[in-house]
Amino acid sequence: SHHNPLKKSNYSGRGMTLEQDIDETNTYYLHQGVAVIHKKPTPIQVVHVDYPKRSAAVIREAYYKQASTTDYNGVFQGAYIDFEAKETRNKTSFPLKNVHEHQIEHMRQVLTQSGICFFLIRFQPADEVYLLEAHHVIKYYDEQQRKSIPKKDIEQYGHTVKTGLHPRIDFLKTVKQLYF
Amino acid sequence: SHHNPLKKSNYSGRGMTLEQDIDETNTYYLHQGVAVIHKKPTPIQVVHVDYPKRSAAVIREAYYKQASTTDYNGVFQGAYIDFEAKETRNKTSFPLKNVHEHQIEHMRQVLTQSGICFFLIRFQPADEVYLLEAHHVIKYYDEQQRKSIPKKDIEQYGHTVKTGLHPRIDFLKTVKQLYF
Ligand SMILES: [Mg+2]
Ligand SMILES: [Mg+2]
C-alpha cells in the first residue's frame, strides 16, 4: 500500500515494490492488447479545498480512507478479473493481519458473480510470487484460529507465477491455465 | 463529476445527481446479490502529507487528476461491466465536450476484451436516462465534425432505462436484455 510500501531488495537491485511490478505488467498487457487491468485509485476523503483564481483547485485537508475493495480489477477476454497484491518479508507464512474484513467480503461477492478473484503474494526473501485463488484465502480467514497461511500450504494450493522482464509478473498466464 | 455536479431538480425534489442515483442503485444490486459494481475513487495527486504524532496522516497539498478510465466497473454474472455516467441540461443533444480522449481509448480497449461498455446519459429537462452502448459514442467521437449527439439519435440507437425507487436506475435490466 501507499502507506508503508515494502521495498523489494533482490539480486537485481531494482528495488521495485510488488505493486510497481504489477503496474508495469498491466501496462505491458494493455499495450499488447492482452487485457485491460488497472489499479484503483487510493480512496481519499477530501475535507477542505481551496479554489485559487486562475489556477487549479488545491486540496488542503484530506485523509486516506481504507479501501473497501481490492487493489486491481479489469477485463481479460470477457472475464472479470479482481485481485489483491500483498508482499511479505516473512519466510514461512503469509500473515493475514493485512487482509481486511471488507476485502474478504468483496471477494465473496465477486465469486458469487462468477468473477475471477485471487491474491498475488510475493515472498520477498525467496523473491517468489504465487497466485492463490480467493476461496483458499477466505477459508483460512474464516478459521478464526488462523493468523497466517503457512507458505507450504500456498506452495500446495497456490500457483507459482512466472516472473521476468516483459512482463514482470505474468499472472494472466496462470489465470489462463486455471480458468480458460 | 465531483468538480461541478449538475443537480437534478425533478418533481420529487430529491435533488440527486445521476452519480448519487447510480451509487444507490449499485448498493441495492450489491445487497440483493445482483452484481458487484463500484464507483472508482477520484484519482488525486498527493504532494504533501503531514504525519502528526498519535493521529492519522493529513494530506496538506493535493490535486485532482483527470480520470484515465470510466466512472464505474464491476461484474454481473461473470461479465465485465464498465460505464461512464453523464448528465446534461441540454434538451436536444448530448454534448461530447465532457467525454475525454482517454475515456474513449479506454472504452475501445474494453470492447477489444469483450467487456460490456456503455454510457448512462440523463437528460435533466425530461428526466430520462438512456443506455447508449460505447461503440455508438465512439463512432460519433471519431466523426471530427460532431460536437454532440442529437437526442433523437440516442432515442433511436440507445435504450431507455427504467427509473424508480428500488433500484433508482435499473440499468442491469437493460444490460440483461441486450447481452444475455
Ligand atoms: Mg495490496
Ligand atoms: Mg461521469
Side-chain angles (χ1 to χ4, degrees):
Chain A
S1 88
H2 59 278
H3 288 124
N4 188 17
L6 296 171
K7 291 289 173 190
K8 180 187 171 190
S9 58
N10 66 356
Y11 57 89
S12 71
R14 283 184 286 124
M16 291 289 177
T17 65
L18 176 60
E19 292 203 349
Q20 287 171 322
D21 281 345
I22 293 171
D23 289 343
E24 289 231 358
T25 299
N26 287 335
T27 300
Y28 172 90
Y29 287 151
L30 192 66
H31 291 168
Q32 298 289 318
V34 173
V36 182
I37 298 171
H38 291 279
K39 185 167 175 11
K40 293 172 208 165
T42 303
I44 288 172
Q45 178 70 49
V46 174
V47 175
H48 181 73
V49 186
D50 281 350
Y51 297 94
K53 277 176 188 162
R54 281 181 292 278
S55 60
V58 189
I59 296 163
R60 286 297 181 196
E61 184 185 354
Y63 300 89
Y64 291 108
K65 286 196 291 187
Q66 201 167 74
S68 58
T69 62
T70 40
D71 291 334
Y72 296 90
N73 74 355
V75 58
F76 172 51
Q77 297 182 14
Y80 176 78
I81 305 288
D82 190 302
F83 64 96
E84 179 67 30
K86 295 280 186 204
E87 53 190 330
T88 179
R89 293 200 176 99
N90 211 303
K91 283 192 173 75
T92 57
S93 69
F94 170 63
L96 287 170
K97 66 177 189 300
N98 290 322
V99 178
H100 303 294
E101 172 74 44
H102 47 255
Q103 291 180 320
I104 293 288
E105 192 53 39
H106 172 72
M107 291 185 143
R108 287 189 221 273
Q109 292 161 342
V110 168
L111 291 180
T112 301
Q113 287 301 320
S114 308
I116 295 174
C117 195
F118 53 87
F119 279 73
L120 289 180
I121 299 169
R122 176 147 68 193
F123 286 93
Q124 291 184 333
D127 195 22
E128 292 168 347
V129 179
Y130 294 89
L131 185 155
L132 186 62
E133 292 170 277
H135 68 92
H136 290 297
V137 180
I138 292 168
K139 187 175 76 70
Y140 282 92
Y141 188 88
D142 287 344
E143 293 171 3
Q144 295 290 335
Q145 263 70 301
R146 289 273 175 203
K147 294 278 184 288
S148 63
I149 307 178
K151 183 164 186 270
K152 66 172 174 41
D153 290 11
I154 294 175
E155 288 165 356
Q156 183 177 352
Y157 301 118
H159 308 271
T160 306
V161 177
K162 186 175 165 289
T163 57
L165 276 179
H166 304 292
R168 289 199 186 157
I169 295 177
D170 197 2
F171 62 90
L172 287 181
K173 187 183 183 195
T174 311
V175 165
K176 201 158 185 175
Q177 288 164 351
L178 286 170
Y179 295 95
F180 286 78
Chain B
S1 87
H2 59 280
H3 288 123
N4 188 16
L6 296 171
K7 291 288 172 190
K8 179 188 171 193
S9 58
N10 67 357
Y11 57 90
S12 71
R14 282 184 288 126
M16 292 288 176
T17 65
L18 176 60
E19 292 201 350
Q20 287 172 322
D21 280 344
I22 292 171
D23 289 343
E24 288 231 358
T25 299
N26 287 335
T27 300
Y28 172 89
Y29 287 150
L30 192 65
H31 290 168
Q32 298 289 317
V34 174
V36 182
I37 298 170
H38 291 280
K39 184 167 176 13
K40 293 173 208 164
T42 303
I44 288 173
Q45 178 70 48
V46 174
V47 175
H48 180 72
V49 185
D50 281 349
Y51 296 94
K53 278 177 185 158
R54 281 181 290 278
S55 61
V58 190
I59 296 164
R60 287 297 182 196
E61 185 185 355
Y63 299 89
Y64 291 108
K65 287 197 291 187
Q66 202 167 73
S68 58
T69 62
T70 39
D71 290 334
Y72 296 89
N73 74 355
V75 58
F76 172 52
Q77 297 182 13
Y80 176 78
I81 305 288
D82 191 304
F83 64 96
E84 178 68 29
K86 295 279 187 206
E87 52 191 330
T88 179
R89 293 203 176 97
N90 211 303
K91 283 193 172 74
T92 57
S93 69
F94 170 62
L96 286 170
K97 67 175 189 300
N98 290 323
V99 179
H100 303 294
E101 172 75 45
H102 46 256
Q103 290 181 320
I104 293 287
E105 192 52 40
H106 172 72
M107 291 185 144
R108 286 190 221 274
Q109 292 162 342
V110 167
L111 291 180
T112 300
Q113 287 301 321
S114 308
I116 295 174
C117 196
F118 53 87
F119 279 73
L120 289 180
I121 298 168
R122 175 147 70 193
F123 286 93
Q124 292 184 332
D127 194 21
E128 292 169 346
V129 179
Y130 293 89
L131 186 155
L132 185 62
E133 292 171 277
H135 68 92
H136 290 297
V137 180
I138 292 168
K139 187 176 75 72
Y140 281 92
Y141 188 88
D142 286 345
E143 293 170 3
Q144 294 290 336
Q145 263 69 304
R146 287 275 175 203
K147 293 279 182 289
S148 64
I149 308 179
K151 183 165 187 269
K152 66 172 175 41
D153 290 11
I154 294 174
E155 288 164 358
Q156 182 178 352
Y157 301 117
H159 308 271
T160 305
V161 177
K162 186 177 165 288
T163 58
L165 277 179
H166 304 291
R168 288 197 187 157
I169 296 177
D170 197 3
F171 62 89
L172 287 181
K173 188 184 183 194
T174 310
V175 165
K176 201 158 187 177
Q177 288 164 351
L178 286 169
Y179 295 93
F180 284 77

